[in-house]
């Protein structure tokens, strides 16, 4: 198995390095738990999509839920990306990072009235509408604020993305999108409502997809609908195929972004839709392999049936193993010689589900630093304060130099918005 995160992540002798920086040294300088990202890896990931999209009308909208830190957004603004957002909070982050609402698509099944109004006032490019009720409410809000909402209907194509059930979103049984067989009627309704203008069509079939075929199946279903809708005299300018491209955690070998895009464009051209603008909403594939989580070994606790390696990062810092039984590689920052017993790598949180990796062969001692790999996506983004633990700090390597992009949360931050009950 090649090292997930290579070539940005590599061993120099015993030392694990990201962009040429020693992770052991970074952990000791900035403290742990610590997220470290390679900006170069993020920019190269965007470039792979852009290469294949060059010369075609397109907008690459970074699905910022994967990693919404301001410096990460700033990196993608500078790379020319738009953004896929799912809340008003995400919109404010895009604006704070210097992004433009005119390059934002607003997804999500539960947009509130207030979020719609804020997005209309900011001038987001398009709403990806997920239900009939949302269409009606958006029309009312657009009329109320005197704006026209550009809409794209998120259609549920009912294809199996072949991924974990929690991150598969394009099946009939999922809560997402408008059913394929109701889509034409919904477009008719959208075209008739005041304050709305039909702009496009959208889907998102799941996440951590490692094959091209589910995308092509979903694309075919979308293009069938585009043809049916346009036959009714309603114009669809853009096709948004969503995000979902997988990354390497272990032995997976997902297609490269440029390969995926090339195959999609070939299918679009073959069906005579080459004039349409293509939108994509990648999240994980732009940031996942660019990041690592660093953690210090606190205690080793050998046992009769299991050995536990207790580290200072926990499920509140990295929820993916606990929530999806996700397998993420764990490597010592500085490799030691000697025996490598099998450990369950667990955190300090009071839950048996608090583990980062199970049955890992590691030569470790207390005080050593470990790196959890492929931790740039849905990692810090999903961190919580469970067990009153402050969230980790984040460092970005910019031109090979570490820049602190998020301070470690302070314990007083955790209590800042709380109030004691006034005494009588
Ligand atoms: N567009 C929409 C509408 C989405 O719901 C998502 C992700 C994306 C784009 C980006 O998908 P990506 O390219 O990142 O696969 N927390 C889970 C993943 C949840 C994905 C949610 N939606 C995990 O850690 O695996």
């Amino acid at each position: 198995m090649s090292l997930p995160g290579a070539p940005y992540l590599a061993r120099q002798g015993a030392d694990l390095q990201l962009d040429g920086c020693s992770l052991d040294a970074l952990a000791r300088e900035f403290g742990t738990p610590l997220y470290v990202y390679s900006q170069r890896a993020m920019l190269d990931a965007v470039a792979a999509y852009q290469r294949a999209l060059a010369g075609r009308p397109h907008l690459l909208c970074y699905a910022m839920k994967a990693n919404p830190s301001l410096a990460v957004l700033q990196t993608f603004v500078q790379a020319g990306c738009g953004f896929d957002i799912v809340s008003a909070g995400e919109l404010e982050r895009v604006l704070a990072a210097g992004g433009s609402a005119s390059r934002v698509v607003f997804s999500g099944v539960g947009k509130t009235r207030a979020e719609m109004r804020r997005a209309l006032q900011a001038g987001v490019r398009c709403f990806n509408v997920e239900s009939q009720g949302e269409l009606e409410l958006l029309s009312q809000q657009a009329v109320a604020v005197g704006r026209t909402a550009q809409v794209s209907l998120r259609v549920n194509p009912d294809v199996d993305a072949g991924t974990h059930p929690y991150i598969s979103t394009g099946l009939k049984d999922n809560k997402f999108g408008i059913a394929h067989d109701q889509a034409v009627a919904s477009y008719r309704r959208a075209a008739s409502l005041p304050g709305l203008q039909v702009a496009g069509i959208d889907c998102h079939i799941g996440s951590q997809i490692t094959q091209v075929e589910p995308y092509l199946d979903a694309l075919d279903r979308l293009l069938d609908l585009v043809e049916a809708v346009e036959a009714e005299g309603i114009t669809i300018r853009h096709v948004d195929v969503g995000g979902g491209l997988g990354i390497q955690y272990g032995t997976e070998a997902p297609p490269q972004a440029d390969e995926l895009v090339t195959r999609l464009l070939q299918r679009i051209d073959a069906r005579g839709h080459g004039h349409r603008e293509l939108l994509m909403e990648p999240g994980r594939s732009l940031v996942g392999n660019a990041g690592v989580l660093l953690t210090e070994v606190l205690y080793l606790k050998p046992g009769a049936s299991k050995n536990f390696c207790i580290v200072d990062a926990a499920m509140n810092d990295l929820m993916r193993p606990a929530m999806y039984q996700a397998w993420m590689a764990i490597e010592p920052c500085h490799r030691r010689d000697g025996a490598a017993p099998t450990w369950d790598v667990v955190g300090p949180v009071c839950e048996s589900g608090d583990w980062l990796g199970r049955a890992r062969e590691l030569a470790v001692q207390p005080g050593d630093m470990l790196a959890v790999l492929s931790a740039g996506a849905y990692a810090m983004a999903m961190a919580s304060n469970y067990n009153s633990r402050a969230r980790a700090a984040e460092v970005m390597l910019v031109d090979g130099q570490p820049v602190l992009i998020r301070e470690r949360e302070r314990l007083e931050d955790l209590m800042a918005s709380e109030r004691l009950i006034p005494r009588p």
Side-chain angles (χ1 to χ4, degrees), residues 72-394:
V72 172
L73 303 182
Q74 185 187 15
T75 298
F76 289 121
V77 169
Q78 283 160 10
C81 291
F83 296 91
D84 169 58
I85 65 165
V86 291
S87 72
E90 290 197 340
L91 176 57
E92 296 312 323
R93 281 185 170 272
V94 169
L95 300 176
S100 162
S102 64
R103 295 165 79 76
V104 165
V105 299
F106 192 175
S107 300
V109 289
K111 303 176 192 79
T112 66
R113 245 177 234 99
E115 287 180 317
M116 287 176 176
R117 287 194 180 213
R118 176 69 187 117
L120 284 162
Q121 273 149 357
V124 300
R125 176 189 155 131
C126 185
F127 289 82
N128 289 337
V129 172
E130 301 218 16
S131 67
Q132 198 60 43
E134 185 188 335
L135 209 49
E136 309 287 333
L137 186 63
L138 182 59
S139 162
Q140 289 163 18
Q141 301 310 311
V143 170
V145 300
R147 297 281 175 113
T148 300
Q150 304 291 322
V151 298
S152 169
L153 298 193
R154 175 169 175 183
V155 176
N156 188 333
D158 195 23
V159 300
D160 187 355
T163 184
H164 190 284
Y166 281 16
I167 51 178
S168 188
T169 49
L171 284 165
K172 261 212 286 283
D173 288 350
N174 295 130
K175 70 178 174 181
F176 299 102
I178 292 173
H180 195 269
D181 55 7
Q182 289 166 21
V184 176
S186 297
Y187 270 104
R188 244 183 254 134
R189 181 75 183 142
S192 74
L193 283 170
L196 303 186
Q197 181 169 21
V198 171
I201 191 163
D202 166 55
C203 75
H204 172 77
I205 55 173
S207 201
Q208 188 53 18
I209 301 168
T210 54
Q211 306 287 326
V212 176
E213 285 67 28
Y215 279 100
L216 296 176
D217 291 346
L219 178 63
D220 272 331
R221 304 271 287 161
L222 284 195
L223 295 180
D224 291 347
L225 273 178
V226 170
E227 288 162 10
V229 170
E230 291 208 328
E232 306 230 349
I234 302 168
T235 306
I236 293 191
R237 293 195 308 275
H238 77 245
V239 174
D240 180 344
V241 293
L245 179 60
I247 61 167
Q248 188 195 353
Y249 286 102
T251 53
E252 312 84 333
Q256 298 296 304
D258 40 1
E259 180 194 341
L260 170 66
V261 173
T262 303
R263 298 274 303 273
L264 290 171
L265 289 173
Q266 280 167 353
R267 181 64 61 93
I268 289 172
D269 289 346
R271 294 199 44 174
H273 291 265
H275 56 291
R276 285 183 218 284
E277 186 178 11
L278 180 64
L279 267 59
M280 298 184 81
E281 302 168 359
R284 189 191 316 264
S285 55
L286 294 185
V287 291
N289 281 139
V292 295
L293 170 63
L294 306 183
T295 182
E296 181 180 342
V297 177
L298 299 176
Y299 305 101
L300 295 180
K301 198 168 155 181
S305 62
K306 269 191 177 207
N307 298 323
F308 292 101
C309 168
I310 302 169
V311 298
D312 69 353
M315 63 188 288
N316 75 294
D317 300 298
L318 181 64
M319 193 136 63
R320 302 192 70 258
M323 190 159 171
Y324 313 112
Q325 292 74 52
W327 191 95
M328 299 174 74
I330 300 176
E331 287 280 326
C333 289
H334 196 86
R335 200 158 45 195
R336 324 177 147 261
D337 297 329
T342 300
W343 304 97
D344 275 13
V345 180
V346 301
V349 161
C350 303
E351 300 261 359
S352 294
D354 178 29
W355 55 276
L356 300 179
R358 286 179 165 155
R360 304 304 174 91
E361 286 174 18
L362 293 164
V364 275
Q365 292 298 330
D368 285 3
M369 300 295 177
L370 297 178
V372 184
L373 308 188
S374 311
Y378 304 113
M380 184 62 180
M382 295 171 71
S384 79
N385 294 121
Y386 188 39
N387 276 205
S388 289
R389 288 169 53 87
R391 283 176 302 166
E394 294 181 296

